[in-house]
Amino acid sequence: MPAETTTPTVVVNARAVARLRAGHPWIYRSDVVSAEGAGPGALVEVKSERRRFVGTAFYSAASEIALRLLAPVKVENLAELVRQRVRNAVEYRRKVVRDTDAYRVVFSEADELPGLIVDRYKDVLVLEALTQATDRPELKQAVVVELMEQFAPAGIVERAEPRIRQLEQLGPLEGGLLYGEKTETVFTMNGVRFHHHALAGQKTGAFLDQRENYAAAAACAHGEALDVFCYQGGFALHLARVCPRVTGVDSSRPALEQAEQNAALNPGLPEVEWIEANAFDLLKDFAAAGRPYDTIVVDPPAFARSRRALHTALRGYKELNLRALKMLRPGGILVTCSCSYHVGESEFVEMLASAAVDAHRSLRILEKRGQSKDHPVVLAIPETSYLKCVIAAVIH
Ligand code: SAH
């Protein structure tokens, strides 16, 4: 990667310095004092108002998060640093990832590679650049070279989410192969097989962050099971290994078609019934009709995309969980999730307690879980922790 001749300096205020010292890598634009000469995506030196060196960061000219700290020292060779960070990320996964050939290899800030996501689906790797800095071709190239060395994949695909690129004022990107030829594969999680099409549609990929929760849910599940918001069948197909009857519900037909194809990859499982419906309506109808279940999974999309949406989000979660609780037989299992960062674990558990009271059910909490270990949570960076998964049993 060509060395930047001079590294521009960005001066930040005392609040930003304190934040960095506390281990949080973000600096908001409102805490930037001057950023002259720092172009979009530049590697910059961060200095305090007294011009003391604080660290090296990626600069974004568009985002409210103006700086993402890369290192508390000067960076002489960015490509080498990036490659080392990818190696560290891979090494960590080698220690903590079990029973799967699909997992997140690089999780942005949690792997000290802010703005970069890499997922592995067996022999196909999927890379996504979320910021101006990580979108720079020479940076992506350094990542690709290291990934080739680590995994010898059959394909490395770049994925682009238009909404994120727009926020970063990055030009549109089709997405496509960065290396190799393969863009489709079959991967296995906990012994269950799934298709992966790295280039099909915008939102592709599995919910790798739920992988350990799939296994935990299957360990408690029994009887007749309902997977609400089933997407491509992540929970449903795991439940089908232990439950004689499983129904999956989602409003997206393409997701259900994929779920059906995933089911076909796993011969020997009981047939899963896939229903295309609005989950709110379906739960209301099923609850009113008194349809009982022994296991229900509720894993909706993020309802709270901002702190302001929290109240409405909690109402949505409560309605779903209330109806699900009413439908569970005594001894039944509820697996309930929220992937909204803005809904904290205590708020989520309070919501569940309130739903249980209204449903006249008494619940025993079996497990309070989060995201799989390949989506590590960094204590000093609360934003790295977003997934909640509570497994509860109905006492009566
Ligand atoms: N449980 C899944 C992930 C769910 S993602 C897994 O582990 O793979 C959320 C899903 O909710 C998406 O598939 C989306 O299509 C679906 N969805 C969103 N709104 C919905 C609604 N009102 N009713 C039913 N499904 C909905």
Side-chain angles (χ1 to χ4, degrees):
M1 186 177 312
E4 273 138 311
T5 36
T6 53
T7 309
T9 294
V10 174
V11 177
V12 301
N13 67 17
R15 187 164 57 178
V17 173
R19 201 177 161 80
L20 292 180
R21 295 243 158 88
H24 200 291
W26 293 353
I27 302 207
Y28 293 100
R29 190 158 306 282
S30 52
D31 289 335
V32 170
V33 176
S34 75
E36 274 155 48
L43 188 72
V44 300
E45 288 190 5
V46 184
K47 292 192 176 158
S48 71
E49 285 181 279
R50 287 201 212 133
R51 299 300 185 270
R52 281 188 48 187
F53 176 84
V54 188
T56 305
F58 286 147
Y59 181 69
S60 167
S63 169
E64 273 313 299
I65 304 167
L67 293 167
R68 292 170 199 249
L69 190 80
L70 196 58
V73 294
K74 298 200 176 182
V75 172
E76 304 294 340
N77 185 338
L78 178 58
E80 188 38 49
L81 178 76
V82 164
R83 289 187 62 173
Q84 183 60 51
R85 295 268 164 95
V86 172
R87 282 197 290 277
N88 295 347
V90 171
E91 195 184 331
Y92 167 71
R93 271 69 182 178
R94 291 206 168 111
K95 287 192 193 126
V96 301
V97 172
R98 299 276 172 279
D99 302 322
T100 185
D101 53 16
Y103 52 90
R104 180 147 291 182
V105 179
V106 174
F107 184 32
S108 199
E109 277 80 2
D111 285 298
E112 297 184 296
L113 283 167
L116 180 73
I117 301 283
V118 179
D119 289 333
R120 174 182 174 195
Y121 294 91
K122 197 180 170 189
D123 50 353
V124 174
L125 300 173
V126 182
L127 175 155
E128 187 172 359
L130 308 173
T131 61
Q132 292 173 349
T134 50
D135 194 52
R136 284 168 50 179
E138 65 272 28
L139 195 143
K140 279 188 234 173
Q141 189 53 31
V143 174
V144 165
V145 168
E146 190 57 42
L147 291 173
M148 282 159 60
E149 200 144 294
Q150 293 294 326
F151 296 102
I156 302 180
V157 175
E158 176 166 24
R159 182 171 75 194
E161 272 180 64
R163 195 180 58 87
I164 290 179
R165 291 189 67 84
Q166 252 169 22
L167 284 175
E168 274 290 291
Q169 291 171 6
L170 294 168
L173 182 85
E174 261 304 301
L177 275 164
L178 295 174
Y179 166 78
E181 301 200 330
K182 198 168 174 182
T183 62
E184 295 184 18
T185 195
V186 170
F187 64 92
T188 310
M189 285 187 197
N190 311 304
V192 182
R193 284 153 58 85
F194 296 88
H195 287 282
H196 180 64
H197 306 273
L199 288 177
Q202 291 311 338
K203 172 65 201 136
T204 64
F207 288 87
L208 301 175
D209 50 2
Q210 290 280 27
R211 175 176 45 86
E212 294 171 3
N213 296 331
Y214 295 152
C220 304
H222 62 273
E224 284 180 70
L226 182 65
D227 176 8
V228 190
F229 303 96
C230 67
Y231 186 56
Q232 299 178 355
F235 278 103
L237 295 176
H238 279 81
L239 299 181
R241 302 223 293 185
V242 287
C243 299
R245 283 190 55 188
V246 179
T247 304
V249 180
D250 203 282
S251 58
S252 156
R253 178 176 287 272
L256 292 174
E257 281 165 3
Q258 190 57 62
E260 197 148 12
Q261 287 177 26
N262 288 337
L265 278 179
N266 295 276
L269 294 184
E271 197 168 325
V272 177
E273 180 191 13
W274 306 105
I275 301 181
E276 183 185 342
N278 179 318
F280 286 89
D281 297 343
L282 179 125
L283 284 181
K284 197 166 154 194
D285 294 349
F286 277 21
R291 275 184 73 153
Y293 282 91
D294 301 293
T295 302
I296 301 182
V297 176
V298 181
D299 181 23
F303 286 157
R305 295 211 174 266
S306 70
R307 187 80 199 163
R308 261 178 296 137
L310 178 65
H311 185 69
T312 321
L314 285 170
R315 263 215 318 264
Y317 287 118
K318 183 170 172 187
E319 178 176 340
L320 294 169
N321 283 282
L322 171 64
R323 296 199 197 287
L325 284 171
K326 282 189 173 165
M327 289 157 65
L328 280 169
R329 295 190 175 103
I333 297 291
L334 176 69
V335 179
T336 180
C337 310
S338 164
C339 57
S340 301
Y341 161 69
H342 297 284
V343 177
E345 188 188 84
S346 57
E347 286 153 329
F348 189 62
V349 171
E350 263 170 49
M351 172 285 299
L352 186 60
S354 157
V357 169
D358 290 5
H360 307 292
R361 305 313 292 262
S362 170
L363 287 188
R364 179 178 287 144
I365 300 284
L366 302 182
E367 289 191 66
K368 282 190 216 158
R369 307 178 54 88
Q371 59 230 41
S372 299
K373 289 190 268 308
D374 47 321
H375 293 62
V377 172
V378 177
L379 190 55
I381 316 175
E383 293 83 356
T384 55
S385 168
Y386 60 94
L387 184 63
K388 279 83 40 196
C389 172
V390 175
I391 305 183
V394 174
I395 303 172
H396 49 72

